[in-house]
Amino acid sequence: MLPTYTVMGGNERLGSTGLSVALLNRGSRRCRRNLFADLAKTGFDLVVSIESPPAAYDIEDLSREFPFVRFVLLKESASLGEQINLAASEIDTPLFFTLWSDLRFITGGGARRMADRLRRTVLDQDGKRETSARLCTVPLMQGPRFDTLPTLRMPVMLQKKEQTRGAVFSQEGLRTLYPVEGVGIYDKELFVGMGGFDWTIKSPYWQLMDFGFRAHLWGEEIAVTRSVKLAYEMDPIPEDTTSGDDYRRFYLKNLAPAFRKDCAHLPLLKFPGYLFQAARQFKGACKDFSEGRRWVHTNRYRWRRDPRTIFSLWNHSGAEEDFPALGQETSA
């Protein structure tokens, strides 16, 4: 489900690299001409700029000055995941790069070079070469003082609570749980096939956790790259990991299901524990659990591994047969 919106501009393309930008906006809008000019120099095919209400006064002027920018005007506020889902629906290139307006490129080499780096090839069983797609590639990110940020995310279990640990990475292609703040280069076909971000979850942190766990449970790849480096103009906003209804939906979709043979299911025997931990009235807990069971049943054949193995993926070299070796993680 997408939020209500209108579109202005974006009728021209800058190139045919196969890579566009999904631009999320925050902070001051005064220097956006410089931002759009920089994106034009980088050579992206199209820029889809998600505009939260109220609409900026200079949208019409900007749309005439930058005809490759498609302004998507939201009628009401939308969550991080909803904004990315909406941008993806307006982009028709194979790849899209989700960026925030307060990020700037330090290195990357242009849109065509970025896209070419992601066109990897592998040998299939017949010895033929074919493109190997990755769901999301996460760039290296720095703070406003050019200090490298711990954007490699690893799941950990602390006091029976699912959390994440950040680390600075120094190697190419290490797996990461999710793209921090949603920033990364996405394969649109895989993103849509995954169902994008869960719009019923409103917390950005739990949206990203849900997206990352679901991706790894379903056998998709999210990994980091050092070939693209971004820097924040201001200190990034800390993640809000507060639990609540959003965490409960994340739990029912990702941690509670059991994986057997070739499919997953949410066992009824998990309900008593859920009822106790959720601290909800019986009727509300039953409704949540039933919805979770239906969702898992609908997607039961998408699973490729048990939820418990997700945590172990970051404790090994990544040599599992269904998860290609990506190297050793660095410590924080």
Side-chain angles (χ1 to χ4, degrees):
M1 182 175 178
L2 296 176
T4 306
Y5 67 99
T6 57
V7 174
M8 181 179 295
N11 298 318
E12 295 185 12
R13 286 179 177 271
L14 281 180
S16 57
T17 65
L19 176 59
S20 296
V21 166
L23 182 65
L24 310 182
N25 290 279
R26 63 183 168 200
S28 174
R29 298 176 174 179
R30 290 176 298 178
C31 301
R32 295 213 290 175
R33 280 181 169 79
N34 294 336
L35 170 59
F36 294 142
D38 289 343
L39 294 175
K41 291 177 183 177
T42 308
F44 294 104
D45 292 9
L46 178 72
V47 175
V48 172
S49 180
I50 305 297
E51 306 285 323
S52 298
Y57 71 92
D58 58 350
I59 288 290
E60 291 189 12
D61 291 339
L62 289 172
S63 65
R64 286 192 293 268
E65 186 174 350
F66 302 99
F68 62 91
V69 179
R70 182 174 300 165
F71 295 93
V72 175
L73 313 178
L74 292 170
K75 298 296 185 181
E76 56 190 19
S77 297
S79 66
L80 168 66
E82 288 178 300
Q83 292 186 54
I84 299 176
N85 290 348
L86 179 54
S89 72
E90 288 291 324
I91 289 173
D92 60 4
T93 52
L95 301 170
F96 66 93
F97 200 154
T98 297
L99 296 169
W100 284 94
S101 58
D102 57 356
L103 282 167
R104 295 294 180 268
F105 282 94
I106 303 301
T107 59
R112 183 171 297 282
R113 188 174 179 184
M114 283 185 248
D116 288 343
R117 288 195 192 104
L118 296 179
R119 296 191 180 101
R120 301 177 300 128
T121 57
V122 296
L123 290 174
D124 63 16
Q125 293 180 349
D126 298 325
K128 299 177 181 178
R129 302 193 71 83
E130 58 183 18
T131 299
S132 177
R134 175 186 290 169
L135 172 62
C136 183
T137 301
V138 181
L140 190 151
M141 297 163 71
Q142 297 181 330
R145 291 167 292 279
F146 300 103
D147 50 319
T148 302
L149 301 177
T151 49
L152 185 75
R153 287 294 189 266
M154 297 171 284
V156 294
M157 187 73 72
L158 297 175
Q159 298 178 343
K160 298 183 179 181
K161 173 72 175 178
E162 299 78 21
Q163 299 182 30
T164 55
R165 181 166 66 92
V168 174
F169 62 90
S170 60
Q171 298 181 41
E172 183 73 16
L174 302 179
R175 72 175 71 89
T176 187
L177 181 59
Y178 61 80
V180 176
E181 287 208 298
V183 176
I185 302 176
Y186 297 76
D187 181 288
K188 181 181 175 179
E189 183 177 358
L190 293 178
F191 179 81
V192 172
M194 277 277 300
F197 288 92
D198 187 342
W199 62 272
T200 67
I201 297 176
K202 301 304 179 184
S203 159
Y205 176 75
W206 291 112
Q207 274 187 333
L208 291 166
M209 285 282 281
D210 170 74
F211 181 78
F213 264 85
R214 179 163 27 105
H216 292 296
L217 286 170
W218 291 4
E220 299 295 348
E221 181 183 342
I222 302 175
V224 297
T225 182
R226 291 182 57 82
S227 63
V228 181
K229 185 184 299 184
L230 306 174
Y232 283 96
E233 293 181 338
M234 304 291 290
D235 288 323
I237 300 172
E239 292 180 317
D240 181 359
T241 63
T242 304
S243 299
D245 290 342
D246 289 332
Y247 167 75
R248 288 190 283 271
R249 179 162 176 79
F250 160 78
Y251 169 80
L252 290 174
K253 291 176 60 183
N254 298 281
L255 300 181
F259 177 63
R260 297 290 185 274
K261 295 183 178 179
D262 64 346
C263 68
H265 71 286
L266 180 52
L268 284 172
L269 58 84
K270 292 288 185 74
F271 178 72
Y274 173 75
L275 177 63
F276 176 77
Q277 293 292 337
R280 286 171 60 81
Q281 294 183 350
F282 182 81
K283 186 176 181 180
C286 283
K287 180 177 180 292
D288 294 344
F289 198 83
S290 296
E291 289 177 353
R293 277 174 61 85
R294 284 194 295 269
W295 185 89
V296 173
H297 181 75
T298 298
N299 297 283
R300 61 192 182 280
Y301 293 114
R302 302 291 300 271
W303 261 256
R304 294 294 179 269
R305 54 173 58 90
D306 188 279
R308 292 174 298 179
T309 66
I310 294 296
F311 295 90
S312 66
L313 290 175
W314 277 264
N315 295 327
H316 303 285
S317 64
E320 293 83 0
E321 291 183 1
D322 60 341
F323 204 112
L326 298 176
Q328 295 281 352
E329 281 72 25
T330 60
S331 58

